C-alpha cells in the first residue's frame, strides 16, 4: 500500500472509536517506514483532533534494544514530561521542532529520577493516547511480553496503537540470544556430525542443528499464534519510489547542475530499482551520494568541458546503480570477478546480462576509498575508446553481429546461429577493435555453454591473431576483462584463449614500438625526440603494459655519456612521464627487472662535471623510487 493510501487508513483508524486493536505497518528494512513516520504519520497524530474540545496526547517509542516493560513505560513517561509545559504544544508546527517528539535518546543519558515525581506520575492518565511503536523486531523483550503490553494499552487504556516493523524478522533477535545453551538443549543425548556420517537418529549436522534450534526456540511461531488478538490490521508498506526520488533530490537544490543530471536520469535509475525489485531508500540515498562524488570529480578535473562527458558519466552511473543494489543486498564482490580496471561483469536483471564494470567504483562503493589516479586513468581510457570507435564508425567498417548477440537469449536459435557465422566473417574483415576481442571470445563461450553451435573457438582465435599480426598500430587486447560467475572451469578455458591473443599482441607491439624508438635514439637530438615521443605515446605504453623493454638501454647509456646536463635532466623527465602515476603497478609490473639493470648501469656510468654528476644521481634516485613502487606487488 502506498503512502497516501496508508495515511487515509490511519486517519480512519484513529477516528473510529470501535477499532479496538493495534495497526501494524509492515515493511522491509530500509524501505522508508521511519521516513514516512517523520514526514507524514507524526503530522496525522498531531492534527487528528484539530477542532475537537479535547485533544489526545501522543507518543513515539522506539523498541530498539528495549529489554523490559519498565523501559517502555519510562519512554512514554519521558515524553509526557518532555512536552509538559511547552506553550506551543498544541500547534502543528512544533511537532518536529524538538527531539523529544521523536524519542531515540537513551534514558540513561536523561537521568529522570522517578522517585522524586511519584505524585505526578500517579496523576498521568494514559487513557486514549495515540502511541506509535517502532522497531518491534529489534526489541529484546519476548514477543509474548511486548504484545501483552500493547494489548493492555488497547483493551484497558483505550489507546490507539500503530506499530512499525519488519514482520518477517520478528522473533529472530531472541533466537540468537544464549545460542550455546539452546544448542546444548537440542544436542542433549546426540552427537554433532561434522563428517556427514550416516546415523541420522543419533547425529546432527550443522544445518540440522540450526534448523531444529530454530524450530524449538524461534518466537515467530509464538508471535503468529497471539498476533491476531492484538493486531487487527496489517498494512504492507510500499514506498512510491517516484515521489520519494523527487523528495530526496530536492536536498540537492543548492547544486542545480547535479540536480538536473539526477532529474534527467531518474527513469534509468528507477528502472533498475523496479527490475531488481528493490525499494530500499538507504540504497537509493547511497547511490545518489556516490553518483554525486563521481560527478563532482568529473567537474573538478574539467572533464565536463571535454568530449564524451555525458557518455562516460552515464556508464559510471549504470554501474553504480546495479553494483550498489547487488552489493547492499548481500552480493559478493569476489563473485563478480572484475580483474581489470574496466571489464564486463555479471550484473543486471537477466541471468545472462553483463554490463561494463569499473574497479575504482567497486572499491569506492565497498570502502569509500576514492583513487583519483585510477579514476583519471579510466576516464582517459574511455575517451580513447570512444574516439577509436567514432573514427571507425562508418557502417561499412564496423561489425554489427557482436552487438546483436548481446541479447542472444531473446532471439530464435536460427538467428543466433546466423549471427555467429556473420560475426566470424566480420572478424575476418577486421571490423572490430582489438580490445573487443576479449568480449567476443567470452560471448562465444557463453553461447557454447548453453549448447549453441559456435563451431571451433580456436578458429576465431586464429583469425584474430592474423589481424593482430597485420596491424600497423599498437594492439590493445587487455583493456576489458570478462567474468564467468562461479564457474572456474569456464574461466580457466577463457584465460587460455585470451593468453594466446595477449602473446600475439605483445610480440606485435614489441616489434612496432622497439623499431620506432631505436630509430629515434640513433638520430640527432635523440633524447629530446624521445621525450616528445613518450609524451605523445604514453597511452600506448599503458595499453601494452610496458615501456622500458622497448629501449635498447646500451644505446641509451652511450647517448647519456655524451649528453649535456639538460639532456640528462630530460632523461629523468622521460621516466617521470611514463612512471609518474601512483598506480604504476597496475600497468608496468614487467618493467621492474629491466629498470633494475638500467639503474645499475647508470650508477656505473662515468660523467664529467659537478652538475652532470648531480643529474646522474637524481636519475638514480628516481629509478629507485620507481623500483620501490613496483616492489609493492605481491
Amino acid at each position: 500500500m502506498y503512502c497516501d493510501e496508508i495515511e487515509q487508513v490511519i486517519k480512519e483508524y484513529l477516528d473510529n472509536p470501535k477499532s479496538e486493536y493495534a495497526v501494524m505497518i509492515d515493511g522491509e528494512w530500509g524501505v522508508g517506514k521511519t521516513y514516512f513516520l517523520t514526514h507524514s504519520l507524526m503530522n496525522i497524530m498531531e492534527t487528528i483532533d484539530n477542532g475537537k474540545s479535547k485533544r489526545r496526547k501522543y507518543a513515539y517509542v522506539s523498541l530498539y534494544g528495549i529489554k523490559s516493560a519498565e523501559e517502555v513505560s519510562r519512554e512514554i513517561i519521558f515524553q509526557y514530561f518532555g512536552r509538559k509545559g511547552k506553550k506551543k504544544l498544541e500547534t502543528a508546527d512544533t511537532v518536529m521542532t524538538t527531539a523529544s517528539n521523536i524519542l531515540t535518546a537513551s534514558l540513561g543519558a536523561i537521568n529522570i529520577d522517578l522517585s522524586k515525581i511519584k505524585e505526578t506520575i500517579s496523576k498521568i492518565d494514559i487513557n486514549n493516547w495515540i502511541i506509535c511503536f517502532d522497531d518491534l523486531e529489534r526489541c529484546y523483550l519476548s514477543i509474548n511480553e511486548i504484545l501483552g503490553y500493547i494489548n493492555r494499552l488497547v483493551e484497558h487504556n483505550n489507546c490507539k496503537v500503530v506499530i512499525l516493523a519488519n514482520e518477517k524478522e520478528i522473533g529472530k533477535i531472541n533466537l540468537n540470544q544464549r545460542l550455546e545453551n539452546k544448542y546444548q538443549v537440542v544436542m542433549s543425548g546426540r552427537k554433532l556430525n561434522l563428517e556427514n556420517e550416516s546415523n541420522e537418529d543419533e547425529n546432527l549436522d550443522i544445518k540440522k542443528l540450526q534448523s531444529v534450534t530454530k524450530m524449538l526456540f524461534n518466537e515467530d511461531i509464538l508471535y503468529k499464534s497471539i498476533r491476531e488478538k492484538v493486531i487487527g490490521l496489517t498494512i504492507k508498506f510500499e514506498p512510491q519510489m517516484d515521489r520519494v526520488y523527487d523528495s530526496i533530490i530536492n536536498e540537492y537544490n543548492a547544486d542545480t547542475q547535479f540536480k538536473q543530471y539526477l532529474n534527467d536520469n531518474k527513469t534509468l535509475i528507477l528502472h533498475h530499482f523496479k527490475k531488481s525489485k528493490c525499494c530500499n531508500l538507504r540504497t537509493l540515498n547511497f547511490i545518489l551520494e556516490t553518483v554525486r562524488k563521481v560527478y563532482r570529480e568529473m567537474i573538478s578535473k574539467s572533464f565536463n568541458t571535454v568530449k564524451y562527458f555525458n557518455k562516460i558519466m552515464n556508464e559510471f552511473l549504470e554501474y553504480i546503480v546495479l553494483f550498489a543494489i547487488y552489493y547492499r543486498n548481500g552480493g559478493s564482490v569476489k563473485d563478480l570477478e572484475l580483474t581489470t580496471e574496466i571489464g564486463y561483469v555479471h550484473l543486471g536483471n537477466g541471468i545472462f546480462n553483463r554490463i561494463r564494470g569499473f574497479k575504482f567504483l567497486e572499491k569506492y562503493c565497498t570502502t569509500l576509498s576514492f583513487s583519483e589516479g585510477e579514476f583519471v586513468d579510466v576516464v582517459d581510457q574511455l575517451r580513447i575508446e570512444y574516439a577509436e570507435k567514432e573514427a571507425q564508425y562508418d557502417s561499412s567498417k564496423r561489425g554489427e553481429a557482436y552487438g546483436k548477440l548481446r541479447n542472444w537469449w531473446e532471439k530464435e536459435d536460427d538467428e543466433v546461429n546466423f549471427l555467429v557465422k556473420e560475426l566470424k566473417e566480420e572478424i575476418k574483415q577486421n571490423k572490430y577493435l582489438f580490445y573487443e576481442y576479449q568480449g567476443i571470445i567470452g560471448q562465444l563461450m557463453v553461447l557454447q555453454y548453453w549448447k549453441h553451435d559456435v563451431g571451433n573457438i580456436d578458429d576465431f582465435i586464429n583469425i584474430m591473431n592474423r589481424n593482430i599480426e597485420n596491424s600497423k598500430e599498437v594492439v590493445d587486447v587487455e583493456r576489458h576483462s570478462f567474468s564467468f560467475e562461479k564457474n572456474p572451469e569456464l574461466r580457466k578455458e577463457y584465460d587460455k584463449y585470451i593468453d594466446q591473443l595477449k602473446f600475439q599482441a605483445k610480440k606485435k607491439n614489441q616489434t612496432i614500438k622497439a623499431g620506432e624508438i631505436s630509430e629515434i635514439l640513433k638520430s640527432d637530438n635523440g633524447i629530446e625526440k624521445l621525450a616528445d615521443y613518450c609524451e605523445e605515446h604514453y597511452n600506448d605504453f599503458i595499453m601494452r603494459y610496458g615501456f622500458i623493454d622497448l629501449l635498447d638501454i646500451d644505446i641509451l647509456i652511450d647517448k647519456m655519456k655524451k649528453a649535456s646536463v639538460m639532456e640528462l635532466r630530460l632523461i629523468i623527465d622521460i621516466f617521470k612521464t611514463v612512471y609518474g602515476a601512483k598506480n604504476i603497478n597496475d600497468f608496468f609490473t614487467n618493467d621492474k627487472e629491466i629498470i633494475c639493470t638500467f639503474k645499475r648501469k647508470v650508477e656505473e656510468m662515468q660523467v664529467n662535471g659537478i652538475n652532470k654528476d648531480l643529474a646522474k644521481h637524481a636519475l638514480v634516485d628516481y629509478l629507485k623510487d620507481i623500483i620501490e613502487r613496483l616492489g609493492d606487488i605481491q
Side-chain angles (χ1 to χ4, degrees):
M1 191 176 290
Y2 293 136
C3 296
D4 50 358
E5 297 172 301
I6 296 175
E7 289 173 10
Q8 187 58 40
V9 170
I10 295 298
K11 287 177 183 177
E12 292 177 4
Y13 164 70
L14 295 179
D15 270 337
N16 186 356
K18 293 184 179 181
S19 54
E20 298 174 348
Y21 51 80
V23 172
M24 174 180 285
I25 300 176
D26 171 39
E28 300 276 340
W29 287 328
V31 297
K33 298 188 300 293
T34 302
Y35 182 89
F36 170 67
L37 167 74
T38 58
H39 287 73
S40 180
L41 191 55
M42 287 302 297
N43 186 58
I44 293 172
M45 291 164 63
E46 164 63 19
T47 60
I48 193 69
D49 291 332
N50 280 356
K52 296 180 181 179
S53 58
K54 186 176 181 181
R55 299 180 59 179
R56 287 171 285 184
K57 294 182 175 63
Y58 64 92
Y60 167 86
V61 178
S62 172
L63 297 173
Y64 197 121
I66 291 291
K67 297 177 181 178
S68 69
E70 288 74 16
E71 284 186 58
V72 182
S73 298
R74 200 179 295 182
E75 294 274 7
I76 296 172
I77 291 169
F78 173 75
Q79 291 212 19
Y80 176 86
F81 285 105
R83 286 196 292 267
K84 188 175 176 65
K86 292 189 177 180
K87 294 180 180 179
K88 295 184 178 181
L89 175 62
E90 301 302 319
T91 60
D93 61 351
T94 62
V95 175
M96 298 304 296
T97 60
T98 63
S100 63
N101 289 335
I102 302 295
L103 179 62
T104 56
S106 167
L107 285 169
I110 305 301
N111 269 336
I112 297 178
D113 188 350
L114 297 179
S115 65
K116 295 181 181 179
I117 52 174
K118 286 183 179 178
E119 184 179 345
T120 308
I121 291 175
S122 65
K123 296 179 181 178
I124 295 176
D125 181 8
I126 201 171
N127 291 328
N128 299 308
W129 276 39
I130 302 171
I131 303 176
C132 178
F133 289 106
D134 198 1
D135 300 313
L136 176 62
E137 71 280 6
R138 292 185 170 107
C139 181
Y140 281 92
L141 269 173
S142 72
I143 196 65
N144 184 48
E145 192 170 357
I146 187 60
L147 286 184
Y149 187 98
I150 292 172
N151 186 57
R152 287 193 296 273
L153 289 174
V154 173
E155 288 194 353
H156 302 292
N157 298 104
N158 199 33
C159 291
K160 298 293 186 182
V161 177
V162 179
I163 304 168
L164 276 67
N166 183 353
E167 193 172 24
K168 73 177 185 179
E169 298 296 326
I170 290 174
K172 291 184 180 180
I173 195 167
N174 284 325
L175 175 64
N176 294 320
Q177 290 182 313
R178 300 184 295 279
L179 200 53
E180 290 182 5
N181 295 339
K182 292 171 182 175
Y183 284 160
Q184 288 175 357
V185 171
V186 175
M187 290 179 59
S188 177
R190 300 186 184 185
K191 177 183 175 183
L192 182 61
N193 177 8
L194 299 177
E195 299 180 357
N196 296 321
E197 297 175 4
S198 60
N199 193 340
E200 295 184 4
D201 293 333
E202 295 182 4
N203 293 349
L204 282 174
D205 60 22
I206 295 295
K207 289 184 178 179
K208 192 170 181 181
L209 174 63
Q210 293 171 337
S211 175
V212 174
T213 303
K214 182 177 180 181
M215 180 181 69
L216 290 177
F217 294 101
N218 192 354
E219 290 191 345
D220 181 54
I221 299 169
L222 180 63
Y223 166 70
K224 289 178 180 177
S225 68
I226 62 176
R227 71 183 295 281
E228 300 304 325
K229 175 175 171 56
V230 183
I231 301 168
L233 175 65
T234 299
I235 303 169
K236 188 67 177 177
F237 183 85
E238 297 178 29
Q240 290 171 280
M241 296 299 288
D242 186 85
R243 287 172 54 180
V244 172
Y245 185 92
D246 291 340
S247 176
I248 291 174
I249 69 171
N250 281 336
E251 297 172 10
Y252 300 110
N253 281 336
D255 191 346
T256 55
Q257 193 175 6
F258 177 63
K259 183 182 177 183
Q260 184 58 49
Y261 178 79
L262 292 182
N263 264 321
D264 293 342
N265 288 280
K266 173 181 175 180
T267 301
L268 172 68
I269 294 172
L270 294 186
H271 166 77
H272 285 308
F273 269 79
K274 183 178 180 180
K275 287 290 186 180
S276 303
K277 297 180 181 178
C278 177
C279 296
N280 195 303
L281 302 194
R282 295 191 190 103
T283 299
L284 178 58
N285 272 305
F286 175 82
I287 287 169
L288 298 185
E289 280 300 298
T290 302
V291 174
R292 186 187 197 186
K293 168 68 176 176
V294 176
Y295 191 88
R296 284 179 167 179
E297 290 292 335
M298 293 284 283
I299 300 295
S300 70
K301 299 292 187 296
S302 299
F303 289 141
N304 60 316
T305 63
V306 299
K307 199 172 183 182
Y308 309 123
F309 167 71
N310 285 325
K311 193 170 183 178
I312 293 171
M313 193 64 218
N314 288 347
E315 285 221 50
F316 290 161
L317 170 67
E318 184 168 34
Y319 184 63
I320 289 169
V321 174
L322 288 174
F323 179 81
I325 292 172
Y326 168 80
Y327 178 69
R328 292 172 72 87
N329 199 37
S332 168
V333 174
K334 184 179 179 181
D335 288 344
L336 293 181
E337 293 186 330
L338 181 56
T339 57
T340 56
E341 196 58 50
I342 306 173
Y344 286 95
V345 296
H346 188 275
L347 277 179
N349 304 308
I351 62 171
F352 311 110
N353 276 12
R354 282 176 171 80
I355 67 157
R356 189 135 70 162
F358 303 94
K359 199 70 178 178
F360 83 96
L361 286 176
E362 178 185 289
K363 185 193 297 183
Y364 182 70
C365 287
T366 55
T367 68
L368 293 184
S369 172
F370 190 89
S371 171
E372 288 192 14
E374 293 171 10
F375 161 67
V376 171
D377 287 341
V378 167
V379 172
D380 286 343
Q381 286 187 54
L382 292 176
R383 289 169 62 189
I384 292 169
E385 173 189 323
Y386 298 151
E388 289 172 349
K389 281 187 176 180
E390 196 171 85
Q392 297 186 15
Y393 195 74
D394 185 334
S395 59
S396 64
K397 297 179 181 178
R398 288 285 298 153
E400 297 180 352
Y402 177 41
K404 292 177 181 177
L405 281 169
R406 291 279 169 82
N407 296 331
W408 59 268
W409 58 90
E410 298 175 352
K411 304 181 187 300
E412 298 296 330
D413 291 354
D414 289 345
E415 184 179 0
V416 172
N417 294 336
F418 171 79
L419 287 172
V420 169
K421 292 176 182 177
E422 187 177 333
L423 174 64
K424 192 172 187 177
E425 289 302 312
E426 289 176 344
I427 297 171
K428 285 181 181 178
Q429 297 167 32
N430 205 15
K431 289 190 174 185
Y432 292 96
L433 299 170
F434 294 121
Y435 63 76
E436 293 177 292
Y437 282 2
Q438 281 208 45
I440 290 172
I441 296 301
Q443 188 70 81
L444 289 169
M445 290 183 66
V446 169
L447 290 169
Q448 190 177 66
Y449 178 82
W450 290 102
K451 310 301 182 186
H452 281 284
D453 181 14
V454 300
N456 190 339
I457 293 180
D458 283 318
D459 292 342
F460 286 85
I461 294 293
N462 292 335
I463 296 168
M464 292 173 175
N465 277 335
R466 282 199 295 272
N467 291 342
I468 292 171
E469 174 61 31
N470 295 329
S471 174
K472 295 180 181 180
E473 302 293 333
V474 169
V475 176
D476 170 24
V477 296
E478 300 194 50
R479 194 179 303 177
H480 298 161
S481 62
F482 195 90
S483 71
F484 297 93
E485 188 179 25
K486 299 178 182 178
N487 197 325
E489 289 302 316
L490 212 57
R491 178 82 210 182
K492 187 176 179 181
E493 186 181 357
Y494 169 79
D495 288 341
K496 191 171 80 171
Y497 285 130
I498 300 306
D499 284 344
Q500 296 179 53
L501 297 178
K502 288 180 179 179
F503 176 80
Q504 185 66 30
K506 184 176 182 179
K507 188 169 71 172
K508 183 63 180 179
N509 292 341
Q510 180 80 15
T511 302
I512 292 174
K513 292 301 173 188
E516 290 179 356
I517 290 176
S518 179
E519 290 300 315
I520 288 171
L521 275 177
K522 291 176 182 177
S523 67
D524 294 335
N525 300 319
I527 294 175
E528 185 177 345
K529 290 177 181 177
L530 179 61
D532 291 339
Y533 183 90
C534 290
E535 285 277 359
E536 184 178 348
H537 292 83
Y538 170 70
N539 287 320
D540 292 342
F541 305 141
I542 286 179
M543 286 189 286
R544 69 179 297 277
Y545 291 84
F547 164 68
I548 198 168
D549 59 311
L550 298 172
L551 297 174
D552 186 324
I553 57 177
D554 290 326
I555 293 177
L556 182 57
I557 290 290
D558 287 340
K559 278 279 185 182
M560 290 169 62
K561 288 177 180 177
K562 303 170 187 176
S564 66
V565 173
M566 289 303 297
E567 286 176 324
L568 288 175
R569 291 285 176 182
L570 202 53
I571 296 289
I572 300 173
D573 291 341
I574 288 171
F575 279 85
K576 285 185 175 179
T577 296
V578 178
Y579 298 105
K582 294 179 182 178
N583 60 328
I584 58 171
N585 53 7
D586 288 341
F587 302 100
F588 299 111
T589 57
N590 297 322
D591 283 7
K592 183 179 177 181
E593 186 176 342
I594 301 176
I595 292 174
C596 288
T597 301
F598 179 61
K599 179 181 80 70
R600 178 174 52 77
K601 291 192 175 188
V602 174
E603 289 172 330
E604 295 170 351
M605 183 181 71
Q606 299 296 317
V607 294
N608 297 318
I610 296 171
N611 286 349
K612 285 185 179 180
D613 193 56
L614 288 173
K616 168 190 159 180
H617 282 92
L619 174 58
V620 169
D621 288 342
Y622 191 70
L623 292 173
K624 286 180 181 176
D625 176 67
I626 295 171
I627 292 167
E628 286 175 3
R629 284 186 283 141
L630 290 175
D632 292 337
I633 305 162
Q634 299 298 318

